[in-house]
Amino acid sequence: MVEIVSLLAASVVAVLLFSRLGLGSVLGYLAAGAFIGPAGFGLVNDADYMRHIGEFGVVFLLFLIGIEIKPQRLWVLRKLVFGLGGLQVTVSGLLIAALSYFAFGIARETALVIGFGLALSSTAFGVQILADQHQTTSHWGRTSFSILLFQDLAVVPLLILLPLLSFGEMRFSVSMGFALLQSVGIFISVLIAGRYAINPMLHAIAHSKNSDVFVATALLLVLGFAWIMELVGLSMAMGAFIAGVLLSESEYKQQIEADVMPFRGLLLGLFFMSVGMSFVPETVFDNLEVVIFGALALIAVKAFVIIILAKLWKTPLAIAVKCGFLLSQAGEFGFVLFTLGDSLGLLPEDMMETLIAVIVLSMVTTPLMVKVGELLAEWLKSPASDAMEVSEPVPERPVIVAGFGRVGEVIAGMLRKVDVSTIAIDMDAKKVAEGRRLGYNVLFGDASRPEILKSVGAGRARLVVVTLDNYKAAEGVVRTMKRHYPDVPLHVRVRDWPDADHFTELGASHAIPETVEASLRLGASALEAAGVGEEERRTLFEYLREGDYEKLRDYHKL
């Protein structure tokens, strides 16, 4: 119990502190692990056991990376992702490996582990900075994201490559090609088998309307594919990645992602804490010059390589500089690769502590590097770079319809008729399947969960229309939207006027009782049949609709 409380308390305090300082949660977890680990206060002594459990966090992380990789998105960015991103990983990895090999006289296998482990940048830092600055759709944002995306994809073959490197020098010459062929072959075979089994299973589970079983199914998919890959001698992370790719186009993607996210966060945090627990200050201080020189050399090499390669892709120099400085640090996957390399005997004794220190130091410099890159880019800015930044498309602003029953379907149909982008969300698998059959963009999920709303772009939505029959569910959507996206207008369907007043107090822009317009339509036909003229009818209806149906409320009170 002491260890559990220590882990939770240290992680909460450290992550909050480091996030406030703008250094990110990864460094917070590392610091928390070092603080309570054997080299710190000794509250947790079995770092290896914690690391084995934490490795499941890496499995869930690869699953979530896979689930975000849409074939259409890869196709649009294919030249940047596979061209620029592929060259960045290859050139940076080989260059850092060569420098390590000649500078320290280490084995070629060790140099390759170091080179490609440090060639990967921090997705957590890069994506977060782009999001905070609202630059994800800018030219330099898309270029940086494309490089990060390929780095994430490269983790899978790199995780396969390390065990092959551990076979020895005799197999080194064919190991990389064998790793690629093996990963492609297994990927295709499991892809074909899983494609025809996963969706039918999810349909059956979703129809049961049991949320606990659905969560268990999501975990089974991740861990099941991971286990299959381990059985055939490959990494669990690759199996989880394949499972994610198979679900990337599924209507159940958002709900599965939301269900898996908490497990990923907890277990990945535990993994980084276990890495911090293995931190030995004496080793780092004994090699302090190597750590500082290594971090500075790493930052310089990666920034230089990215700038040169981006220029070869006809990117303006100012934009190339911003990309290079943003991605100059080593990333969290370096911890994963070095941990695996250390367990396979590919790293000499005490080298892992030095490499961890290099990664941490390079991460700490990221905010400063971004600031310097922005200042340098401003000085180098040209009309070409300005034009490329301005020409970026504005992100689509959809209307989100929470609930795809009779009312939700009518509203979605009206919006589709006038070419307004619409995303509907419902927890009824039958309604989702029927809506998708009719060509609507309907997703399975609980619209009251912030993860679901975030995944469908609620922050940039024109408005959210809540048509759910369930009062508590509708209230949950409104409360979540007002808490996370208070500026997005909310239109809510309710049963009666007291409910309308309640939702208005919660922050809804409009809350319309479901009987109001039906009563007006029926009244219109009655007036017409009674011989009342069109102009008189129109005047009466305008009068009744004034002030948010204030006169109809008076009728209700009578």
Side-chain angles (χ1 to χ4, degrees):
M1 180 60 75
V2 173
E3 290 187 343
I4 295 175
V5 173
S6 301
L7 286 167
L8 292 174
S11 62
V12 169
V13 173
V15 169
L16 282 176
L17 177 61
F18 276 70
S19 297
R20 286 287 180 89
L21 295 174
L23 298 175
S25 60
V26 173
L27 293 181
Y29 283 123
L30 291 171
F35 184 80
I36 65 175
F41 284 86
L43 298 174
V44 179
N45 292 309
D46 196 348
D48 289 335
Y49 177 71
M50 295 296 173
R51 187 180 304 165
H52 287 316
I53 299 176
E55 283 173 358
F56 283 101
V58 179
V59 170
F60 282 106
L61 176 61
L62 265 294
F63 171 77
L64 291 174
I65 289 173
I67 208 171
E68 288 297 332
I69 296 177
K70 295 182 179 179
Q72 299 95 324
R73 193 177 191 185
L74 280 178
W75 182 253
V76 171
L77 299 174
R78 62 191 182 280
K79 292 182 179 179
L80 286 174
V81 173
F82 298 105
L84 180 57
L87 274 178
Q88 184 276 322
V89 172
T90 304
V91 174
S92 297
L94 292 177
L95 187 55
I96 296 170
L99 290 174
S100 303
Y101 178 76
F102 289 110
F104 303 107
I106 55 180
R108 286 184 294 179
E109 291 83 358
T110 302
L112 281 174
V113 174
I114 295 173
F116 283 98
L118 296 178
L120 305 179
S121 304
S122 174
T123 302
F125 272 90
V127 173
Q128 188 63 47
I129 289 172
L130 290 173
D132 290 344
Q133 297 184 3
H134 305 288
Q135 293 294 312
T136 52
T137 59
S138 66
H139 187 271
W140 80 279
R142 287 200 306 166
T143 303
S144 301
F145 178 79
S146 298
I147 295 173
L148 288 171
L149 181 55
F150 185 86
Q151 290 178 358
D152 290 343
L153 290 172
V155 171
V156 177
L158 287 175
L159 288 173
I160 299 172
L161 174 63
L162 293 193
L164 297 174
L165 286 176
S166 67
F167 289 161
E169 191 171 349
M170 293 296 292
R171 299 195 181 187
F172 166 71
S173 60
V174 297
S175 60
M176 188 171 293
F178 180 60
L180 180 61
L181 290 175
Q182 190 177 29
S183 61
V184 170
I186 295 294
F187 181 87
I188 292 175
S189 60
V190 176
L191 190 70
I192 294 172
R195 183 178 182 86
Y196 298 101
I198 290 180
N199 262 340
M201 180 179 68
L202 289 175
H203 282 310
I205 299 299
H207 280 294
S208 72
K209 298 184 179 180
N210 189 317
S211 58
D212 294 333
V213 175
F214 196 87
V215 173
T217 304
L219 296 177
L220 176 62
L221 284 173
V222 180
L223 298 178
F225 272 79
W227 176 63
I228 291 172
M229 289 296 103
E230 189 179 38
L231 284 180
V232 298
L234 299 178
S235 71
M236 292 193 297
M238 183 179 183
F241 177 79
I242 293 174
V245 172
L246 289 172
L247 289 166
S248 63
E249 295 293 324
S250 172
E251 62 266 37
Y252 303 104
K253 166 191 167 181
Q254 279 75 16
Q255 187 63 39
I256 291 175
E257 194 173 2
D259 289 337
V260 167
M261 191 72 74
F263 296 96
R264 185 220 62 153
L266 287 171
L267 293 171
L268 195 60
L270 182 60
F271 172 79
F272 288 129
M273 290 180 73
S274 70
V275 173
M277 290 176 198
S278 63
F279 184 73
V280 181
E282 292 81 5
T283 303
V284 175
F285 288 126
D286 290 342
N287 299 282
L288 190 59
E289 293 181 358
V290 175
V291 171
I292 296 175
F293 172 77
L296 294 176
L298 168 68
I299 291 169
V301 167
K302 290 186 68 175
F304 177 77
V305 168
I306 292 172
I307 292 170
I308 295 300
L309 292 177
K311 281 297 295 176
L312 292 177
W313 250 254
K314 299 181 180 179
T315 302
L317 182 58
I319 295 175
V321 166
K322 291 172 76 172
C323 295
F325 278 61
L326 174 67
L327 305 179
S328 60
Q329 79 290 117
E332 48 274 0
F333 277 119
F335 299 125
V336 178
L337 292 173
F338 292 150
T339 300
L340 178 59
D342 187 57
S343 66
L344 294 171
L346 289 170
L347 297 179
E349 188 177 356
D350 296 335
M351 180 173 281
M352 183 174 171
E353 288 81 4
T354 303
L355 291 171
I356 290 173
V358 170
I359 295 176
V360 170
L361 185 56
S362 71
M363 283 182 164
V364 170
T365 64
T366 300
L368 176 62
M369 290 295 293
V370 171
K371 292 291 184 185
V372 173
E374 289 174 350
L375 292 174
L376 190 56
E378 189 67 28
W379 182 63
L380 295 170
K381 187 177 288 186
S382 65
S385 59
D386 284 338
M388 294 188 81
E389 291 291 353
V390 172
S391 64
E392 290 303 314
V394 177
E396 191 175 45
R397 298 186 63 207
V399 172
I400 297 173
V401 179
F404 198 71
R406 289 173 296 177
V407 177
E409 184 177 353
V410 169
I411 293 172
M414 294 170 67
L415 292 167
R416 184 169 69 170
K417 194 71 175 177
V418 292
D419 296 325
V420 174
S421 174
T422 307
I423 301 173
I425 309 170
D426 203 290
M427 282 293 287
D428 190 320
K430 289 183 179 179
K431 293 177 182 177
V432 172
E434 180 63 19
R436 292 176 74 87
R437 188 185 66 80
L438 295 173
Y440 291 100
N441 186 10
V442 191
L443 304 172
F444 180 86
D446 181 356
S448 66
R449 295 183 61 170
E451 306 96 330
I452 300 292
L453 291 171
K454 180 181 179 181
S455 69
V456 298
R460 63 175 188 275
R462 300 187 192 188
L463 73 150
V464 173
V465 183
V466 183
T467 68
L468 295 165
D469 286 324
N470 188 300
Y471 180 90
K472 290 295 183 183
E475 184 176 347
V477 176
V478 173
R479 289 185 182 277
T480 302
M481 284 297 303
K482 297 309 294 183
R483 184 166 61 251
H484 293 276
Y485 312 106
D487 297 329
V488 178
L490 287 167
H491 293 212
V492 187
R493 162 215 181 182
V494 296
R495 294 188 182 280
D496 49 35
W497 289 115
D499 287 351
D501 293 335
H502 174 67
F503 278 96
T504 301
E505 290 174 2
L506 290 178
S509 307
H510 295 283
I512 309 299
E514 56 192 15
T515 57
V516 169
E517 287 298 330
S519 301
L520 290 176
R521 292 289 298 172
L522 185 60
S525 63
L527 290 171
E528 184 178 5
V532 178
E534 181 180 351
E535 183 63 26
E536 190 175 356
R537 296 199 309 270
R538 185 177 61 81
T539 302
L540 175 60
F541 292 141
E542 289 178 355
Y543 168 76
L544 292 174
R545 289 189 174 106
E546 283 180 357
D548 196 18
Y549 300 96
E550 184 178 352
K551 299 302 184 296
L552 281 178
R553 290 171 180 263
D554 293 338
Y555 291 163
H556 175 75
K557 292 174 183 177
L558 294 174

